[in-house]
Amino acid sequence: MRKSYKPEARVAAISLIFPTELCWAADFIPFNWEMYASLLASHSKVIDLSNTGAAPVPRCSFINALKGASIMKILPSPDVILSSSAFCEGIGHMFGELKNTYEKEHFHIDIPSYYSESALKNTCIQLCNLFHAICDINKIEKSLRLQKLKEA
């Protein structure tokens, strides 16, 4: 976690269920915003910050803590934002909102809620496309990507 705060760090802000191997292989340090928010959720000052102004829909304490941490500027600045639909649809929307705050790309993986061959194929395509996109951000040569993924 400490490495994420170093100025030279290349940080991927990720949601709770996201394959960190893709981040490591693409030379990003994964920083789990959702997990970090859960640590802050008991701190009322952080949550209260996100409740000032108008929020169109009620949000859980984790999402409010994440927004408050962003307002307080205690999150490491990400180079890319990565989320999935696992467990919480709302976190993907919050990551989309924070994309505008940090002015970084946000990629979202839609994880199917049931197994089928087409769902598996769709997930594989999403992960493959995402991996190549984040490798492009860090300018990793195409010829090195598969080996880096195997080593991650």
Side-chain angles (χ1 to χ4, degrees):
M1 185 185 290
R2 287 183 187 161
K3 289 181 181 180
S4 300
Y5 287 93
K6 292 186 176 189
E8 70 277 6
R10 301 289 293 162
V11 177
I14 63 170
S15 61
L16 188 59
I17 305 296
F18 194 88
T20 58
E21 296 86 356
L22 298 180
C23 300
W24 292 117
D27 294 336
F28 285 103
I29 297 171
F31 187 92
N32 195 316
W33 269 357
E34 199 171 356
M35 184 75 70
Y36 188 69
S38 72
L39 296 172
L40 297 174
S42 64
H43 194 298
S44 62
K45 181 179 179 183
V46 174
I47 292 174
D48 290 345
L49 279 172
S50 70
N51 289 328
T52 58
V57 294
R59 298 184 291 209
C60 75
S61 59
F62 288 179
I63 292 175
N64 284 336
L66 179 58
K67 180 67 175 178
S70 174
I71 292 168
M72 291 179 74
K73 300 187 184 325
I74 59 174
L75 294 172
S77 184
D79 296 287
V80 67
I81 301 170
L82 310 169
S83 62
S84 77
S85 59
F87 299 126
C88 176
E89 284 288 332
I91 202 71
H93 296 292
M94 176 51 64
F95 277 35
E97 186 178 318
L98 292 174
K99 166 194 183 250
N100 298 327
T101 300
Y102 292 99
E103 298 177 342
K104 299 296 179 181
E105 290 208 55
H106 172 221
F107 298 95
H108 183 78
I109 299 295
D110 186 24
I111 297 176
S113 56
Y114 61 91
Y115 173 81
S116 72
E117 287 297 319
S118 62
L120 177 62
K121 182 179 177 182
N122 182 48
T123 304
C124 289
I125 290 168
Q126 288 182 77
L127 290 170
C128 184
N129 290 341
L130 179 137
F131 178 62
H132 286 293
I134 64 175
C135 282
D136 287 344
I137 291 170
N138 271 347
K139 298 176 177 56
I140 295 174
E141 293 179 36
K142 288 185 180 11
S143 62
L144 300 176
R145 294 175 184 184
L146 182 59
Q147 184 60 36
K148 289 179 73 61
L149 191 56
K150 286 178 182 178
E151 291 170 0

